[in-house]
Amino acid sequence: MQFQNTQAFAQMLDQQDELRSFRDQFIMPVIDGKQQIYFLGNSLGLQPKRTAGYLQQVLNKWANYGVEGFFMGEEPWLQYHDKLVQPLSTIVGALPHEVVAMNQLTVNLHLLLVSFYQPTQKRNKIICEARAFPSDQYMLETHVKYCGFDPNEVIIEVAPRAGEHNIRHEDILQAIQQHKDELALVMWGGLNYYTGKVFDMAAITKAAQAVGAKVGFDLAHAAGNIPLQLHNWNVDFAAWCSYKYMNSGPGGIGGAYIHERYHNDDSLHRFAGWWGYDTATRFLMQKGFKANRSAEGWQLSTPSALLYAAHQAALDIFMEAGIDRLQTKRRLLNNWLWFLLDELNGLQTEPVVDFITPRTEAERGSQVSMLMLQQGKQVFDALARAGVIVDWREPNVIRLAPVPLYNTFEEVWQFTNILRQILQLQHA
Ligand SMILES: Cc1ncc(COP(=O)(O)O)c(C=O)c1O
């Protein structure tokens, strides 16, 4: 499509947008009476209007039935999880029994490493991104120590080359080859939280498994954002949070994927709890752990019906919008943003902003990261004053992510216009 940098063109794109009515399903933030341009679906997705009703149903059932709410009424809490697996598996590209909604992201990564990082004296190395999200770094560091190894010896970080911002795919493959005889695990982010780069998960999986290593992905910034095919890519395990692109609320319930080939594998270590026990006989309260033969077998504790309800409210909207339509709009919205940013970029005589998210379509999702070469915090504050909600990530990046469920093409146009004014860039 031939874009034009006008407000009328943006409005025309909105009129043609099949998903435009979905914005009305969300509560848009208003600060001091001014509706904000909310571009932070990559951090905390907005609240669906229906979430309160779904939560209220759980509260009503709790009020009316007490503990019997687990077994009674239209939607007994014991069966609540069954309704989440279909939409979740569609979003991450897995079989329904390969996904489970449980815990939080970092907790799930630890639990999955118990099963998928079983280091030996010969095979104990982990390859990961340099400057991965801090929680992942702390998770790996402490997990490796717990296993009796030295993080400085065992963890191999792949970094961008000097002068570059993004890690090159060939450098990941090269690291896998270099450490092939000692490699136990590749633990990688599907989409880097700082730069917005999408990694080739299928190729990383293939390369790591070819040398005998396991592969897991942190999908915090990928799930609900970009198309995923975890099962077809043969990924061993993955985990994500639901509060970003999946709009399930602050601290919403996390999720995990475990390839079905492991569901009956009793040689894997696990940290178990009663909720992962064989569902049919869980309440017989017998001695000796017997795992549920699906991803649900990795659960430990009684899940929160309230968090389930908030998750379901958001997932129902995803299914109503449809993954294919969401992906089509996500690409168009992002291409529109890049078209406008490229124009703005061309006006910079003295560089202030460097857009560090890769330009190739396969390597980006909704997020764009602006590396601020000067006056970063001032630009960020000016955006906030103008009613644009984006975020600041130390040391010097402004991140933004217009999302297809509730952002408009006109908001993207307004944002670039505001940014141009703040940067005082003028057409010649
Ligand atoms: C890439 C990534 N990994 C891990 C986390 C931590 O998630 P949680 O606090 O849900 O454990 C985040 C949180 O934003 C993240 O962005």
Side-chain angles (χ1 to χ4, degrees):
M1 182 183 289
Q2 198 65 38
F3 291 130
Q4 292 165 28
N5 183 356
T6 64
Q7 189 161 16
F9 192 85
Q11 289 166 344
M12 192 267 294
L13 288 172
D14 281 323
Q15 269 151 24
Q16 289 179 354
D17 172 16
E18 282 181 38
L19 298 180
R20 68 180 177 281
S21 65
F22 280 87
R23 177 179 173 87
D24 196 38
Q25 304 254 3
F26 291 87
I27 303 170
M28 304 306 295
V30 175
I31 299 180
D32 294 335
K34 183 176 161 68
Q35 174 147 339
Q36 305 291 299
I37 297 179
Y38 190 81
F39 281 173
L40 272 189
N42 57 319
S43 179
L44 179 66
L46 289 181
Q47 184 182 143
K49 288 181 182 165
R50 66 178 75 174
T51 301
Y54 282 52
L55 290 175
Q56 192 58 53
Q57 276 184 19
V58 174
L59 294 175
N60 291 348
K61 181 174 277 184
W62 180 20
N64 293 332
Y65 296 106
V67 72
E68 292 302 319
F70 277 99
F71 314 101
M72 295 183 60
E74 266 177 38
E75 292 179 335
W77 298 328
L78 265 189
Q79 269 117 55
Y80 212 140
H81 187 262
D82 298 348
K83 290 192 299 188
L84 305 176
V85 290
Q86 191 62 48
L88 270 180
S89 61
T90 308
I91 289 170
V92 301
L95 302 173
H97 60 282
E98 289 177 323
V99 297
V100 56
M102 62 177 190
N103 313 316
Q104 307 289 330
L105 173 51
T106 312
V107 174
N108 286 338
L109 288 173
H110 270 296
L111 293 175
L112 291 166
L113 253 70
V114 169
S115 296
F116 295 103
Y117 178 61
Q118 299 192 355
T120 61
Q121 281 314 318
K122 184 162 160 34
R123 247 185 211 279
N124 49 41
K125 300 259 189 290
I126 301 176
I127 287 182
C128 68
E129 301 159 87
R131 295 181 61 215
F133 190 82
S135 203
D136 296 40
Q137 295 181 37
Y138 310 147
M139 180 275 297
L140 284 181
E141 176 192 331
T142 56
H143 202 100
V144 160
K145 276 190 192 160
Y146 166 76
C147 292
F149 290 87
D150 178 353
N152 294 322
E153 284 175 12
V154 162
I155 299 175
I156 300 173
E157 294 186 343
V158 183
R161 294 186 189 179
E164 297 185 7
H165 300 293
N166 288 293
I167 301 167
R168 292 197 192 191
H169 181 65
E170 60 265 34
D171 291 350
I172 307 170
L173 300 186
Q174 201 273 329
I176 291 173
Q177 276 312 310
Q178 188 185 337
H179 298 282
K180 64 181 173 17
D181 297 328
E182 311 155 299
L183 192 61
L185 174 68
V186 175
M187 180 72 242
W188 208 266
L191 192 154
N192 183 275
Y193 84 99
Y194 194 71
T195 68
K197 177 183 161 91
V198 174
F199 289 97
D200 185 341
M201 290 174 255
I204 293 172
T205 303
K206 204 167 164 206
Q209 289 172 344
V211 302
K214 297 277 193 287
V215 188
F217 290 101
D218 173 340
L219 300 177
H221 292 266
N225 178 12
I226 57 169
L228 296 167
Q229 285 297 328
L230 297 181
H231 179 84
N232 290 342
W233 296 339
N234 205 33
V235 171
D236 293 303
F237 70 94
W240 54 87
C241 53
S242 66
Y243 45 77
K244 298 178 184 293
Y245 293 95
M246 279 195 269
N247 310 318
S248 301
I253 195 159
Y257 151 92
I258 298 129
H259 193 284
E260 63 177 350
R261 65 178 161 273
Y262 299 112
H263 296 180
N264 293 306
D265 185 348
D266 290 325
S267 72
L268 292 181
H269 294 159
R270 294 186 199 222
F271 284 171
W274 75 319
W275 224 258
Y277 197 89
D278 170 52
T279 314
T281 52
R282 180 192 295 149
F283 291 104
L284 297 180
M285 310 297 210
Q286 283 171 344
K287 191 172 164 60
F289 181 70
K290 194 169 128 198
N292 175 316
R293 298 303 184 186
S294 76
E296 289 182 52
W298 271 263
Q299 295 175 107
L300 275 74
S301 296
T302 315
S304 159
L306 287 163
L307 294 185
Y308 272 175
H311 203 19
Q312 196 202 346
L315 294 179
D316 281 355
I317 298 177
F318 258 82
M319 292 304 103
E320 287 161 25
I323 298 291
D324 291 344
R325 288 200 302 173
L326 278 168
Q327 285 305 327
T328 305
K329 178 168 174 191
R330 199 258 308 154
R331 277 189 211 98
L332 192 61
L333 197 61
N334 195 255
N335 286 342
W336 169 237
L337 173 60
W338 274 105
F339 163 76
L340 297 170
L341 290 178
D342 281 345
E343 275 212 10
L344 186 146
N345 208 12
L347 300 176
Q348 292 196 83
T349 42
E350 189 194 350
V352 181
V353 184
D354 185 2
F355 299 99
I356 58 171
T357 307
R359 289 295 279 107
T360 23
E361 217 178 291
E363 286 183 302
R364 57 184 155 93
S366 292
Q367 181 181 326
V368 171
S369 297
M370 313 198 305
L371 180 74
M372 303 308 294
L373 305 173
Q374 45 176 302
Q375 296 176 349
K377 273 278 169 63
Q378 286 97 313
V379 173
F380 175 74
D381 291 341
L383 283 168
R385 278 196 302 277
V388 180
I389 303 187
V390 291
D391 76 4
W392 176 260
R393 277 287 169 267
E394 296 293 346
N396 48 4
V397 154
I398 293 176
R399 304 184 306 174
L400 56 132
V403 299
L405 267 175
Y406 49 74
N407 286 124
T408 64
F409 292 88
E410 191 171 4
E411 283 179 313
V412 169
W413 183 85
Q414 284 166 336
F415 159 72
T416 53
N417 228 19
I418 293 168
L419 184 61
R420 188 168 49 73
Q421 284 165 26
I422 292 171
L423 298 177
Q424 298 181 326
L425 301 174
Q426 308 293 344
H427 288 280

